[in-house]
Amino acid sequence: MAYAGGASEFGVRPVAMGRRGMVASANPLATQAGLRILAAGGNAVDAVVATAVAVTVVEPYFSGAGGIGVAVLSLPNGETRTLSFMGRSPKAARPALFTTETQDLGPLAPMVPGIVAGWARLHEEYGDLPLAQILEPAIELAERGTPVTQFDYVRTATSLERLTPFADAARTYLKEGQPYEPGEVLRQPGLAATLRTLAAEGLLSFYRGKIGEAIGKYFATHGGLITADDLREYPESVRWEAPVTARYRGYEVRTTPPPSSAVQVLQTLRILEAFDVDDLDPLGPDYLALAAEAIRLARLDAAAHVADPLFVDVPIEWMLSDERIEQLRKEVRRRLKPARARASHASDRGRTGARGRPKVAAARIRRARPAPERSTTHLAAADASGLAINITQTLGSAYGSGIVIGDTGIAMNNGHHWATLIPGDAKVIAPDKRRESPASPTHTFRVDEGAGRPTHSFGIDPLGPAHATRGSRLAFLVGTPGSYSIPQTTAQVIVGLIDFGRNIQDAIAAPRFRWKDDVGDPLPPKELLLEARFAPAVRKALAARGYKVSLLEDWSMRVGGAQGIVFREDGWMMGGADPRRNGYAMGW
């Protein structure tokens, strides 16, 4: 599929193009902040930090300075490093102190925030421009305010019950107790002042300066667990780690190690590699059933084994071993055979029926029930040197814990919502423990070495035969928010790029599906959620195979909000961003 300069398969928007750099985020104002830094001479890390801070201003419901996150960084020499700043439970945390309600909302819900320490580590080691310059776009957005979009309005309107119990949060984000209307300007002077302090005193003053002292004092006063000592000690726990990797059709996919459950993406791809995916209709029931079964089995493996490796043994090598992958492939084949048999039997009955009359198999397809919104965002940046990075950062649920620290504008995460209160469970709350997270930013490298070239190359061959050395050059990076749909969406976008030859924007815009498998949903998942853009015949075919099918909106946030960048051999970069949110990619 040759890139023709415009949106093609799904006709939503064109691919963004750039030679000097590329930025993609969930909000055009945040993307512009990163592009501004690139234009000022900054590198990809400078741009991504500027974007990451700016997006906390323009999307306060999705991420904030009191949040957590994870990053994947690839250097021009082909090395990839990962950085987890997923926070951790305070030293005073014990399961007996929590209820399911206080895990989610209020002063007990937050983990020690890691996001600012992550930004600090990235900038200190790889940034070029002064910190004050990098933070200035976000400071301007907070001081002068940003126009509220319809998307912003809906996010806040559906989260009022998370904000109104807390005076500081209500004062920060609401106007006389109600959301700002579309077109009105939301100003955040408290956050602007906090960012100015960080610009003057350094990002780590969030943990060891007067900001950290204010956070510790707030929780001491309001019955929380985070102390000034927890904050002071946290930055030393943020360390670089090697990625978890797997091969897929001539590519090497690199992503984040535990406590991220991104290994689910790698398992899904390895399972699918045994099947002729590119012979299937990418919007048809055969592909959807195959991908859904691979995703479900990988999801169950991740749920069973992934937690904080500082507390439990996570058998990553076994999960990605040939032996385990072949077991999962056999299970996929087993599950698909009876489904096809049921579909065939239903089709036969439809032709003959009782007394010779046509009979159609019943297929009950319903609209999916509303679900609580999760509060996560994804962003990416790259420059002409080959430096590239993407970050998934989050508050957890919408507006996190509902806690805003006084007049600082710092919204706090609700990381404990993703832990358990079950004694002996791998994910049980414990002091200094990190939460398991489905965040799965990935970087994918072209690997020839006799592996065989894929049929498609995302609209144009991004690397070409001159880069046949293993890991010699980055092919593309992709990531998404979306809670436990994250690994599912990431795998679907990667398959769209590699197997179906879509360009990056179409790979993101294509209709997606997911299992209903969020916190509180039963496992193994039984309900398959499809965006309503899948054809009625496809939905009916899946239902006839025995799937419980529920329909989402045409463009649903429940299947994420992906951003991605593809790297061409000629030096051009192609960027894509998800229209399911306010996503926007811009090239420089």
Side-chain angles (χ1 to χ4, degrees):
M1 183 186 301
Y3 172 67
S8 50
E9 189 174 0
F10 300 102
V12 178
R13 59 174 65 162
V15 175
M17 303 294 294
R19 283 190 67 91
R20 298 181 182 180
M22 180 67 65
V23 182
S25 82
N27 186 284
L29 294 174
T31 299
Q32 287 176 13
L35 208 65
R36 173 174 159 183
I37 294 302
L38 286 176
N43 64 24
V45 168
D46 295 322
V48 87
V49 173
T51 304
V53 182
V55 84
T56 68
V57 179
V58 296
E59 288 190 339
Y61 38 82
F62 282 159
S63 66
I68 53 184
V70 63
V72 178
L73 171 77
S74 285
L75 302 173
N77 65 5
E79 178 188 355
T80 300
R81 313 179 79 186
T82 74
L83 191 69
S84 174
F85 35 97
M86 289 305 298
R88 62 185 187 187
S89 291
K91 293 186 183 301
R94 302 290 187 277
L97 299 176
F98 293 83
T99 66
T100 54
E101 290 76 18
T102 59
Q103 278 182 275
D104 177 46
L105 200 62
L108 293 179
M111 288 183 164
V112 179
I115 197 169
V116 179
W119 298 339
R121 179 60 62 89
L122 290 168
H123 178 255
E124 287 171 2
E125 297 195 22
Y126 294 103
D128 284 342
L129 297 184
L131 178 63
Q133 185 176 0
I134 291 170
L135 296 187
E136 190 57 35
I139 293 170
E140 289 181 8
L141 291 169
E143 281 184 340
R144 298 179 183 179
T146 56
V148 172
T149 68
Q150 179 66 25
F151 183 87
D152 301 330
Y153 171 79
V154 172
R155 304 285 75 74
T156 303
T158 56
S159 303
L160 283 177
E161 74 282 357
R162 304 189 69 83
L163 296 173
T164 53
F166 306 105
D168 295 323
R171 183 177 63 254
T172 302
Y173 302 121
L174 303 179
K175 182 180 180 181
E176 298 179 351
Q178 295 299 315
Y180 282 76
E181 295 287 338
E184 293 186 316
V185 174
L186 172 63
R187 294 179 175 84
Q188 300 175 67
L191 181 58
T194 294
L195 294 177
R196 286 210 179 278
T197 297
L198 295 177
E201 300 180 6
L203 290 170
L204 292 186
S205 66
F206 183 92
Y207 299 91
R208 295 165 181 165
K210 61 183 180 182
I211 296 175
E213 292 173 1
I215 296 172
K217 183 177 180 180
Y218 179 94
F219 283 111
T221 302
H222 291 82
L225 300 177
I226 296 173
T227 68
D229 286 341
D230 289 318
L231 291 162
R232 275 193 296 269
E233 294 175 10
Y234 180 77
E236 298 304 320
S237 70
V238 177
R239 297 184 178 90
W240 293 104
E241 296 180 89
V244 179
T245 67
R247 298 287 183 88
Y248 182 69
R249 304 195 195 282
Y251 292 86
E252 183 174 273
V253 183
R254 306 174 183 177
T255 190
T256 47
S260 163
S261 51
V263 65
Q264 179 183 333
V265 177
L266 306 183
Q267 278 194 315
T268 299
L269 295 174
R270 289 215 61 203
I271 293 167
L272 291 175
E273 194 169 28
F275 299 86
D276 295 326
V277 173
D278 59 352
D279 289 339
L280 302 177
D281 178 356
L283 302 180
D286 289 341
Y287 166 67
L288 292 180
L290 169 61
E293 293 300 340
I295 286 170
R296 174 158 54 182
L297 292 176
R299 169 71 167 108
L300 294 176
D301 248 19
H305 300 293
V306 177
D308 187 347
L310 299 177
F311 287 76
V312 299
D313 179 35
V314 183
I316 290 292
E317 291 187 9
W318 171 79
M319 294 174 73
L320 293 172
S321 68
D322 292 344
E323 177 185 10
R324 179 55 179 163
I325 296 300
E326 187 54 38
Q327 290 173 345
L328 297 175
R329 289 170 178 167
K330 288 179 179 178
E331 179 62 15
V332 167
R333 295 185 183 101
R334 186 190 70 80
R335 296 184 66 87
L336 290 177
K337 284 181 179 179
R340 288 175 179 165
R342 286 194 298 272
S344 175
H345 180 61
S347 177
D348 289 344
R349 288 189 290 110
R351 285 194 295 270
T352 59
R355 300 180 183 178
R357 286 180 289 192
K359 183 177 181 182
V360 179
R364 301 186 67 185
I365 301 174
R366 301 175 177 175
R367 283 283 172 182
R369 295 178 179 178
E373 287 192 357
R374 309 304 179 189
S375 181
T376 304
T377 197
H378 185 82
L379 54 141
D383 63 39
S385 75
L387 183 66
I389 180 171
N390 54 351
I391 296 175
T392 303
Q393 59 188 39
T394 184
L395 283 172
S397 298
Y399 286 104
S401 61
I403 296 297
V404 172
I405 306 298
D407 294 325
T408 67
I410 298 171
M412 297 296 294
N413 69 85
N414 68 336
H416 284 127
H417 178 64
W418 276 259
T420 76
L421 305 179
I422 305 169
D425 187 86
K427 299 178 179 66
V428 69
I429 291 173
D432 292 331
K433 193 174 187 179
R434 298 172 293 177
R435 54 162 282 201
E436 175 266 336
S437 168
S440 307
T442 65
H443 288 203
T444 299
F445 284 73
R446 184 73 178 92
V447 182
D448 272 341
E449 295 187 350
R453 295 181 62 83
T455 305
H456 306 292
S457 295
F458 346 120
I460 189 169
D461 187 345
L463 300 178
H467 300 279
T469 304
R470 178 184 183 275
S472 61
R473 186 170 172 182
L474 185 60
F476 63 87
L477 57 85
V478 67
T480 181
S483 189
Y484 283 97
S485 77
I486 290 174
Q488 304 179 52
T489 286
T490 304
Q492 289 176 71
V493 174
I494 291 173
V495 169
L497 287 166
I498 294 176
D499 292 282
F500 299 137
R502 291 171 172 148
N503 65 46
I504 183 62
Q505 187 59 54
D506 278 338
I508 289 169
R512 293 200 290 262
F513 68 88
R514 66 164 294 180
W515 289 102
K516 187 175 182 294
D517 63 344
D518 267 317
V519 175
D521 293 328
L523 293 178
K526 301 182 184 300
E527 186 175 350
L528 195 60
L529 308 179
L530 269 65
E531 287 190 308
R533 288 181 291 147
F534 285 103
V538 173
R539 309 171 204 164
K540 292 178 180 178
L542 289 171
R545 296 181 186 207
Y547 290 98
K548 181 180 179 182
V549 176
S550 296
L551 294 184
L552 302 168
E553 304 90 344
D554 285 359
W555 301 85
S556 176
M557 281 180 50
R558 290 179 70 179
V559 292
Q563 331 294 344
I565 301 173
V566 165
F567 303 88
R568 292 176 20 166
E569 182 187 24
D570 61 4
W572 282 93
M573 287 167 261
M574 304 166 67
D578 210 316
R580 292 168 179 85
R581 305 192 179 197
N582 285 332
Y584 228 85
M586 296 182 187
W588 168 246

